[in-house]
Amino acid sequence: MANTNPLQIPSNILVEQLRDQMRRMLVRLDEIRQQTSDVSGVWMPAVDVLEMDEAILVRIELPGVGQEHLRVTVIDNTLKIEGRKERDNPTGRLDLEERPIRFLCLERSYGSFSFTVTLHWQIDPVGVAARLTDGVLRIQLPKTSTSGREITIPITE
């Protein structure tokens, strides 16, 4: 029976085995993260919603998300923004057999997202606009002329 003392295995082989195990673990971890992001919304881009005098402004940070992967709708005073950020090939090539030597850091999130906000104002559909510039989606929802006025309601005994 051969003795498998790790001290007898050359260090470069141990390092390569450890790298291979870590690579497989990180790929599996990323697969699990992708599966859960589709279910529980783990990836959610940063969103700002602002009320201005004349409009509601929504800004969403979406670096790496193309216009073709976005959908913005308003139904029954609910704004819904849906999108998908796809993983690019880590080597930048189409060869599926090519893999990185190692992953040094994996922090970017991928997958689908959905964000909804209830609008407490009547929106003028004619002036609604959405624009994707420099990785930021800007949505402008103009209020109608009757919205935004304060009404004091008298309280009686």
Side-chain angles (χ1 to χ4, degrees):
M1 182 147 79
N3 185 0
T4 59
N5 184 348
L7 297 176
Q8 294 176 350
I9 299 174
S11 64
N12 62 337
I13 292 175
L14 286 175
V15 169
E16 200 53 45
Q17 287 175 346
L18 181 60
R19 279 186 186 158
D20 188 50
Q21 289 175 358
M22 290 294 291
R23 185 179 312 119
R24 283 184 286 177
M25 182 184 71
L26 287 171
V27 167
R28 181 66 184 133
L29 180 64
D30 194 53
E31 289 171 358
I32 291 169
R33 185 171 32 178
Q34 280 183 335
Q35 290 171 355
T36 59
S37 70
D38 289 340
V39 174
S40 62
V42 170
W43 180 61
M44 180 55 74
V47 179
D48 292 337
V49 180
L50 307 144
E51 179 183 6
M52 309 299 279
D53 287 336
E54 303 292 322
I56 304 302
L57 300 178
V58 181
R59 294 184 296 221
I60 307 170
E61 292 182 359
L62 296 170
V65 178
Q67 181 178 345
E68 66 278 6
H69 296 290
L70 292 171
R71 178 183 160 115
V72 180
T73 57
V74 177
I75 300 173
D76 297 329
N77 278 359
T78 300
L79 172 68
K80 185 172 187 178
I81 303 146
E82 301 170 284
R84 183 177 74 246
K85 184 176 181 181
E86 295 184 345
R87 171 179 300 290
D88 54 332
N89 186 337
T91 61
R93 298 184 182 152
L94 296 177
D95 183 10
L96 297 176
E97 295 298 317
E98 187 170 332
R99 294 199 171 214
I101 294 172
R102 62 183 145 191
F103 293 97
L104 301 175
C105 182
L106 288 174
E107 293 185 356
R108 297 175 62 198
S109 298
Y110 300 91
S112 299
F113 70 91
S114 179
F115 175 79
T116 58
V117 62
T118 301
L119 302 172
H120 301 285
W121 309 268
Q122 294 297 317
I123 301 301
D124 180 8
V126 175
V128 171
R131 187 169 160 177
L132 182 64
T133 307
D134 296 329
V136 178
L137 177 64
R138 291 172 176 86
I139 303 167
Q140 182 171 346
L141 304 159
K143 299 177 189 176
T144 62
S145 59
T146 59
S147 118
R149 284 193 258 165
E150 181 177 310
I151 300 172
T152 304
I153 301 171
I155 301 173
T156 59
E157 289 186 27

